[in-house]
Amino acid sequence: MSDVLAVAEHRRGDLRDVSLELLTAGRELADQTGGDLHAAVIGGAVDEFAEKLDREGVDRVLAVDEGEEFNHDVSLQSVEQLAAAVDPAVVLTPNSVNGLDYAPALAESLDLPYVSDAVELSIDGDELTAEREMYGSKVATTCSVDASDGVVATIRSGEWPTAEGTGDAEIESFDVEIDDSRVFSSVRGFEEVGGGDVDISEADVLVSVGRGIEEEENIDLIRDLADALDATLSASRPIVDNGWLPKNRQVGQSGKVVTPDVYIAIGISGAVQHVAGMKGSDTIVAINTDPNAPIFDIADYGIVDDLFDVVPALIEEFEG
Amino acid sequence: MKVLVTVKEVARVADDFEIEGTEVGEQYREYDLNEWDDYAIEAAVQLAEAGEDVEVVTATIGPERSEETIRMALAKGADRAIRVWDDALEDVETLDVGAKAEILAGVVEAEEPDLVLSGVQAEDDAFGGTGVALAERVGYGWAAVVNDLDLEPGGDVASVRRELEGGVEELTDVELPAVLTIQTGINEPRYASLRGIRQAQSKELDVQTLADLGIDAAAADSRIDVTEMFVPETESDAELFEGDAGESAAKLAGVLRDKGVSAE
């Protein structure tokens, strides 16, 4: 039991990038255990995906031709059977929305410990060590996990480089038997959200507002700034959750990915889910009272001060 | 119809804090209802308001202190509450997902709810696995990261939207009984009214031990230990503008103009 099983993810015809990051994480672990790295893909254009997963360091690719899109009941049963065949020390999946939708059930079904959202992983004998974050990324922890019977671990996207090159893996199709009495869900389709009056991903300059704005009526202040800078108004998740701005203004993992020339983050702490949506901006400016806010880690310019003092002064600068 | 909502009391950490061993110092922690669970409670209460004969029960694993949070859920409209605690849990620092699922499965088996609503994750440990692990353990269907729920009280299928990455939603039908993990933004959680807070005092809050639920004390043995806690290294190389708000705004304005930002 020294092999690693990495279960890739795809959606609507595309292999997701995190699948290739998963291969890097998997290879690192397999090097530590001295085992092989098995990559698996379930459903969709499995042959095409299997070719793409044949990267340097991958020993074997297992293609499970079951269904077109992700269904957690099918994924769960497929990975149960893959795990029985491979007998891995570690099963890896992305800590994505779909990872969250079956990896915990897999750990439960295989009676293995579950460690999620790892940003670093290593394994030594019966002990897997994972680094992960708590309290909204304010602290990091190192966890020791009993891996004597195996572990199910999910990795945070963007923490490992994507596996490159072309490998010489054995590509095999892997047949599974799906027990329909354990299929409780069916996917009816997909819908894009957003649309509406503006596409924030097209904007050159974004003025983005977060939880620090405190009250709905204060959004007007940020709107005034956006007007003064001839910029587009966007927001982090809590603002949209509160219904203060529509969903098409949301920047982040579950909103839009934006890459403007200038991104001005106001009262945004910089949770990892937000950063995922805006880190590609050319120039990032942060205005926040908390000097330890993670947004400053990726900002090019910053002001540590009360936004209610700084923003009116900035409006004055441009309109003055 | 019975809806069970898992409710967690979470710790929030002050902006300035100190780490003591593998914990944030107690004086820097404030306890509150987990944000995701607040949306789950609201979703349950809305189901109760939409149909007759819908009972909303909350389940919490937590010490006596967590009753304040549980009363908040009762004040928002839950009918009664179950709190599970045990001497065996007293010294456990990190209860892993498997342990939580095993304990909550004891509650599900006793209550036999038609629907279990759980927050997607807890703000503090952020494992994000309990709801889905619980579903598998009790043999229920499930859906994770639900941001829209369409369910007729008395119906046997929940039509949900799951919020995927990149602004895409998946439309899924889940057979009941089921566990749904609820994403923020699915609704607008209500504030507890004064009347609700008064009424909550007289609602049933039942405390159960592991033995009461027929669970072996070994369930408390977590397979994950936190061995180290530290503040993530800051990688900031941002140029910070100093001075009062007017001065720093002027400096920032200069940079923005250099970048081509200007009024029309």
Side-chain angles (χ1 to χ4, degrees), chain A residues 207-289:
Chain A
V207 171
S208 209
V209 57
R211 214 187 274 265
I213 198 67
E214 294 171 4
E215 303 281 342
E216 182 172 11
E217 50 268 31
N218 296 337
I219 301 264
D220 286 341
L221 176 66
I222 309 302
R223 193 174 277 121
D224 290 346
L225 177 65
D227 288 346
L229 301 182
D230 191 24
T232 302
L233 183 63
S234 59
S236 66
R237 171 167 205 119
I239 301 300
V240 175
D241 279 351
N242 284 346
W244 297 351
L245 284 174
K247 180 93 184 164
N248 63 350
R249 302 276 179 163
Q250 186 182 325
V251 173
Q253 203 163 55
S254 52
K256 286 271 174 144
V257 174
V258 298
T259 53
D261 298 335
V262 178
Y263 186 88
I264 306 175
I266 302 174
I268 291 177
S269 67
V272 61
Q273 293 83 359
H274 182 77
V275 168
M278 48 66 77
K279 64 184 174 196
S281 307
D282 277 353
T283 299
I284 297 169
V285 178
I287 301 171
N288 202 302
T289 46

Side-chain angles (χ1 to χ4, degrees), chain A:
Chain A
M1 199 182 80
S2 57
D3 291 358
V4 174
L5 175 64
V7 187
E9 189 169 306
H10 59 89
R11 187 190 303 152
R12 304 169 94 187
D14 290 321
L15 199 65
R16 302 195 64 227
D17 285 348
V18 68
S19 301
L20 301 177
E21 298 165 15
L22 201 67
L23 298 180
T24 305
R27 185 65 255 167
E28 282 176 10
L29 289 171
D31 285 344
Q32 290 163 23
T33 58
D36 284 348
L37 171 61
H38 307 253
V41 61
I42 301 156
V46 282
D47 295 334
E48 182 195 322
F49 297 148
E51 294 286 339
K52 286 186 176 161
L53 290 169
D54 181 12
R55 300 270 165 140
E56 235 166 74
V58 179
D59 296 295
R60 188 180 178 205
V61 182
L62 296 159
V64 179
D65 192 5
E66 275 296 334
E68 277 308 303
E69 289 290 348
F70 174 81
N71 173 297
H72 62 239
D73 298 305
V74 171
S75 281
L76 170 64
Q77 293 189 44
S78 299
V79 184
E80 283 171 356
Q81 291 166 48
L82 284 161
V86 170
D87 191 23
V90 186
V91 181
L92 285 183
T93 82
N95 195 67
S96 56
V97 171
N98 285 347
L100 289 172
D101 198 37
Y102 83 101
L106 179 71
E108 194 61 32
S109 149
L110 299 178
D111 193 19
L112 296 178
Y114 175 65
V115 57
S116 65
D117 206 15
V119 298
E120 261 184 57
L121 284 172
S122 63
I123 188 163
D124 185 8
D126 284 348
E127 186 177 285
L128 179 120
T129 303
E131 190 180 315
R132 53 193 309 284
E133 293 178 342
M134 282 180 66
Y135 302 114
S137 300
K138 280 188 170 170
V139 302
T141 60
T142 304
C143 303
S144 158
V145 183
D146 172 9
S148 46
D149 299 318
V151 175
V152 177
T154 74
I155 67 160
R156 179 177 289 181
S157 71
E159 296 292 328
W160 278 266
T162 53
E164 303 291 338
T166 309
D168 52 3
E170 294 170 43
I171 298 181
E172 298 168 31
S173 76
F174 185 91
D175 292 332
V176 296
E177 278 183 33
I178 301 300
D179 173 2
D180 287 337
S181 72
R182 289 178 66 204
V183 176
F184 304 109
S185 66
S186 58
V187 177
R188 289 181 288 116
F190 297 91
E191 222 171 83
E192 306 274 349
V193 294
D197 56 335
V198 70
D199 183 356
I200 56 171
S201 63
E202 297 289 323
D204 295 329
V205 182
L206 281 171
V207 171
S208 209
V209 57
R211 214 187 274 265
I213 198 67
E214 294 171 4
E215 303 281 342
E216 182 172 11
E217 50 268 31
N218 296 337
I219 301 264
D220 286 341
L221 176 66
I222 309 302
R223 193 174 277 121
D224 290 346
L225 177 65
D227 288 346
L229 301 182
D230 191 24
T232 302
L233 183 63
S234 59
S236 66
R237 171 167 205 119
I239 301 300
V240 175
D241 279 351
N242 284 346
W244 297 351
L245 284 174
K247 180 93 184 164
N248 63 350
R249 302 276 179 163
Q250 186 182 325
V251 173
Q253 203 163 55
S254 52
K256 286 271 174 144
V257 174
V258 298
T259 53
D261 298 335
V262 178
Y263 186 88
I264 306 175
I266 302 174
I268 291 177
S269 67
V272 61
Q273 293 83 359
H274 182 77
V275 168
M278 48 66 77
K279 64 184 174 196
S281 307
D282 277 353
T283 299
I284 297 169
V285 178
I287 301 171
N288 202 302
T289 46
D290 177 7
N292 297 318
I295 191 77
F296 288 115
D297 288 351
I298 57 155
D300 301 292
Y301 301 96
I303 296 176
V304 179
D305 205 341
D306 191 337
L307 73 91
F308 295 106
D309 295 329
V310 176
V311 172
L314 198 54
I315 294 171
E316 181 71 24
E317 282 290 329
F318 280 84
E319 286 189 340

